[in-house]
Amino acid sequence: MSIRSHRSGLRAGLFLAGILLVFGACEGGGTPSDYTPEELDAAKAQLRDHRRLRTFEAGKLFGDEWVARAPHDAELRALYAYQLVGWGFSREIHEQADAILADDPENPWGLYTRAYAHLVDRDPQLAHETVREAWEASPQPEFAFLYLRALSQDDFEVAREFLGSLDEEARGWPEVMRMEAEIESTARYVLEDPTWADSMRATWAEYKERHPDHVLGYTRLANEAYNDRRLDEWTSLMGTALELAPGSAEVRGQHWRGLWMSELLPREERRPAIEASMAAYREASPETVEGLQSIASMYRQMEDEERAAEIDARIVERDPASPHASSVYLARMRATDEKLSEIFDEHGQDSPEYRAQLEAVRDAVHEYLAKPLYSDTYKGGAYIDLYYALRAMDPVPAEELAEAIRGLAEHERLNPHITFGTAPLAMIDHTPYALEAADIVRAGAPHIFENLEGARSFYDTEGEWDGALRSTLSGIYDVIGWAYFKAGRTEDGLHTLERALAISSYDRNVRYHLGQVYERLAVEAEEDGDTEAVTEWLDQAEDSYIAGFGASRGENPNETALEALYEHRNGSREGIEEYLATLDERDRIRRRERILESRVEAADTYEPFELARLDGEMINSADLEGKIAVLHFWGTWCGPCIVELPEYQEFDERYREDPDVHVLSISNDESNEIIEDYLAKNNFDFTVLVDDGYAERARVRAWPTTWFVDRDGHVQFVQIGTALKLDEEFSWRVEALREDAGSH
């Protein structure tokens, strides 16, 4: 059903006549323009009126006409670009900036327009850097407003400083007053001071008094009144706003939502009142996709999907390549994915309904990607939906999956753990393009670490941060190593996966992949007739699966692989339950044997020390004579150290009251305060000595490093790096040294 206003035909005719007039009078070759300077000034004033009234729908159409008539007027283009901001037309705003800067690369209005484009692109840092140049060249109120707006999103404190640097006249400009109120609104949250809300309301009240013909003063105060349930005040303020700007979708939308959600009207009267307001809006405003989208959104809020869909169809018909039409396409695609989640919850993933919906998701994504999309912004999300749907199919369509992952690699950056992690792994496992998957991961590594860097503030210590880096790097090596193996490059796969394990030993995927490589090497040894090597490789595979199985329970590929290996080695599954029940003990026995075999062949004494505890008490290595000593080198900056400290605390507690054993840790952090804060946060109370350069003198080259010293001062065991089960494995060494003493 069409909702075109009866005025549309007249407006369209006038608009067409204007276009024909423009094409009939080009600005080249000395042909005079079809407007006077006074008319041009009046056009700029009218564009500013559309801004103060938030009537961007009519403002865009008016600006279309005038930019065609006066294409070389930079200020006009910039004021027109502001109308496009309300529509989200990033590409068109960039085009306006290009047109201005092509004539003059340093034109302040061009820089202002470019900055607005950056802000619409959600790059506030680049926006404020660009508009600062415009402001410094020509202090226009528009420039100050945009500078504050961009700064407030990127650096709140600097925005406040810039606002404070403006003189009284500048701070009275409507745009600047608006930003002062918005900065005050933000301050109540950033500064955790609710009194800023009062300052914000006072600023908006002053704004309304000083600029009574600007609609924002009324709508922002109306919003505050609504939140405080002062509905009579809201009604009055919104009434004035509607009188000022009856053709503003922004104002109308606020009015419609208020009527729908408040108790101003009985429920049965709300929709008629809203539709009457919609009719008034259509009467006051030209039909645009922006206005249509506002109406469709309100119908959805009123849970009338049928009416909303009719308006969506009108949006697509009117401008199929607009951002608004792209939003319609996106909503349709997402609806199929939401339906998939509903079916999963209701029927499960093995149901016919779920499998059928996977096909629907695939079709919906392909339909979305085939549309004339305004931008590629949401293509990444589409490819994620497609990837998950294809991967869940049985059988997995290999070529389609590969294409989906290529699309991910090109468009998706918000979820690098998928784009350059789980998706390439699926490409390796389900398609013949393993080496291409490795290339995708290599190319994506900078994006992975850039994303991780953005989350650095969530890590309290350098050690936690280092652990995150190691885990990430290990994951990259894991995917590449697995790709090599699946592509038939077994030796390259082995070395790369072993590197992944050396970086981080807690990744169950690395353990599983290594186990698979070891099994392949066992097959090759069997083909060569080397039965001893077969046994050794299968033992290593078993150990790898056991370690990976212990890393985390639940759905774990190591568990399945371990059961398959058991069946292969024993000829059946008989006895497998008993075998699985004894895994921990079998693993324990093997680890203990290896650890005791790792005793230093030519044990020597260590560099003596005298180091201070955190409380200042001095500890001398001479005090350890006649005792078994454990010296553990660590730091809060060291990721592996941080990972194992909870177990180190348990180990320390185990021997704390043992008169024969002395457990000491030596931290080389930069200050006692760093160590004390970390210990307090984690409730650790083990003894810490402060490194004064001793680790370097003692030639400790890796962290963590742990020495196990016998009663005569000889280092009998050295653990470099993390232990799989620290408390247990450290205790084995201590008890071995105790037994040595007892046997003499």
Side-chain angles (χ1 to χ4, degrees), residues 4 146 277 361 469 597 738:
R4 179 186 295 273
L146 184 55
S277 181
V361 170
L469 288 173
E597 289 170 359
R738 197 196 302 269

Side-chain angles (χ1 to χ4, degrees), residues 11-23 25 27 34-35 39-40 43 46-47 50 57-72 76-77 80 83-84 96:
R11 272 194 298 270
L14 292 174
F15 181 68
L16 179 60
I19 292 295
L20 292 173
L21 181 61
V22 170
F23 280 113
E27 287 207 356
D34 66 339
Y35 56 86
E39 288 174 324
L40 180 61
Q46 190 163 340
L47 285 172
H50 285 301
E57 306 92 310
K60 177 186 179 298
L61 297 181
F62 180 78
D64 287 341
E65 175 188 352
W66 267 95
V67 166
R69 294 176 69 182
H72 297 291
L76 178 77
R77 280 191 180 273
Y80 167 61
Q83 314 300 316
L84 303 176
Q96 296 307 310

Side-chain angles (χ1 to χ4, degrees), residues 60 127 300 500 632:
K60 177 186 179 298
R300 283 199 167 84
H632 182 67

Side-chain angles (χ1 to χ4, degrees), residues 91 156 335 428 501 530 622 673 698 727 731 734:
R91 186 172 64 240
F156 173 72
I428 295 166
L501 189 65
D530 189 344
E673 183 179 1
D727 182 27
S731 298
V734 169

Side-chain angles (χ1 to χ4, degrees), residues 36 81 359 439 448 459 506 508 558 585 618 651 658 691:
T36 66
E359 302 280 349
D439 290 339
I448 297 173
Y459 299 94
Y506 294 93
R508 70 183 189 183
N558 290 282
E585 184 59 25
M618 301 303 294
F651 170 73
D658 192 322
D691 185 15

Side-chain angles (χ1 to χ4, degrees), residues 48 51 109 112 135 138-147 170 173-176:
R48 286 189 166 94
R51 181 178 63 195
W109 287 107
Y112 160 82
W135 167 257
S138 177
Q140 302 285 338
E142 285 92 350
F143 304 165
F145 159 69
L146 184 55
Y147 191 28
W173 290 331
E175 295 85 357
V176 175

Side-chain angles (χ1 to χ4, degrees), residues 21 29 105 108 129 136 144 153 188 192 220 245 285 368 371 448 498 542 546 571 684 701 739:
L21 181 61
E129 290 172 356
E136 291 172 349
Q153 295 182 30
R188 58 179 156 176
E192 298 181 353
R220 296 303 173 86
S285 175
Y368 172 76
K371 294 294 186 182
I448 297 173
E498 286 179 338
E542 185 176 18
I546 291 172
F684 294 149
R701 295 290 183 263
E739 290 173 10

Side-chain angles (χ1 to χ4, degrees), residues 33 55 158 204 213 237 467 477 485 570 583 623-624 637 670 702:
S33 60
T55 48
V158 175
W204 279 122
D213 58 345
L237 289 163
Y477 277 121
F485 170 68
N570 294 276
L583 281 183
D623 300 335
L624 305 179
W637 52 267
E670 293 181 355

